[in-house]
């Protein structure tokens, strides 16, 4: 009876120590992944801010250019085409908008803003743990 109790007591600290080691390693792994994600996010953040500033400036310039060219085109073509020039320009700008939206969607599909290194490491961790 005493030998069984001694074996149970001696096995218990080993199980607890092993469990604590696993938890410690798991917490270290989580901290490592958080650090990797923060590094990637900071890198993406810098590029995203630059992109947004340039995109904003380009959008403002494009609006002015489109407005002036459109007014000029309507002014020059009004005598020959009348109201039809407005329909042609509307169709043209709708087509251009659809192409731009399609390109933006394609860019998002390439997962450029998706933290690829972090996601790859998390997939490896999931596969190793399961």
């Amino acid at each position: 009876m005493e030998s069984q109790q001694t074996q149970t007591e001696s096995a218990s600290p080993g199980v607890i120590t092993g469990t604590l080691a696993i938890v410690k390693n798991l917490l270290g792994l989580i901290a490592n992944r958080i650090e990797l994600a923060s590094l990637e996010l900071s890198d993406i953040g810098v590029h995203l801010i630059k992109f947004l500033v340039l995109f904003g400036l380009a959008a403002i310039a494009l609006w002015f250019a489109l407005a002036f060219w459109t007014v000029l085109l309507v002014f020059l073509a009004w005598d020959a085409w009348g109201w039809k020039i407005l329909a042609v320009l509307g169709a043209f700008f709708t087509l251009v908008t659809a192409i731009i939206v399609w390109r933006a969607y394609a860019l998002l599909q390439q997962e450029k803003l998706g933290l690829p290194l972090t996601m790859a490491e998390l997939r490896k961790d999931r596969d190793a743990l399961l």
Side-chain angles (χ1 to χ4, degrees):
M1 183 86 154
E2 282 184 36
S3 65
Q4 287 179 344
Q5 189 176 17
T6 307
Q7 287 177 352
T8 306
E9 290 174 2
S10 66
S12 185
V15 170
I16 293 172
T17 304
T19 304
L20 288 175
I22 290 173
V23 169
K24 180 182 174 185
N25 288 338
L26 187 60
L27 289 175
L29 181 68
I30 291 170
N32 189 328
R33 297 307 178 239
I34 290 172
E35 289 174 6
L36 178 62
S38 67
L39 286 173
E40 280 191 298
L41 283 173
S42 67
D43 190 38
I44 287 174
V46 168
H47 294 299
L48 189 60
I49 289 172
K50 287 179 184 177
F51 175 76
L52 289 176
V53 167
L54 290 175
F55 180 79
L57 292 173
I60 291 169
L62 179 65
W63 277 107
F64 278 109
L66 284 175
F68 287 116
W69 285 112
T70 302
V71 168
L72 178 65
L73 189 61
V74 168
F75 180 74
L76 293 176
W78 190 262
D79 291 334
W81 288 42
W83 63 269
K84 293 176 216 133
I85 188 67
L86 297 176
V88 169
L89 288 174
F92 172 74
F93 287 128
T94 301
L95 178 66
V96 169
T97 302
I99 291 170
I100 291 170
V101 168
W102 178 71
R103 294 285 298 169
Y105 182 73
L107 182 66
L108 288 176
Q109 292 299 320
Q110 294 175 359
E111 298 181 6
K112 298 283 184 178
L113 302 175
L115 303 175
L117 295 176
T118 300
M119 295 308 291
E121 289 298 321
L122 288 175
R123 277 189 219 100
K124 286 180 191 175
D125 295 343
R126 181 195 64 207
D127 294 340
L129 292 173
L130 300 176

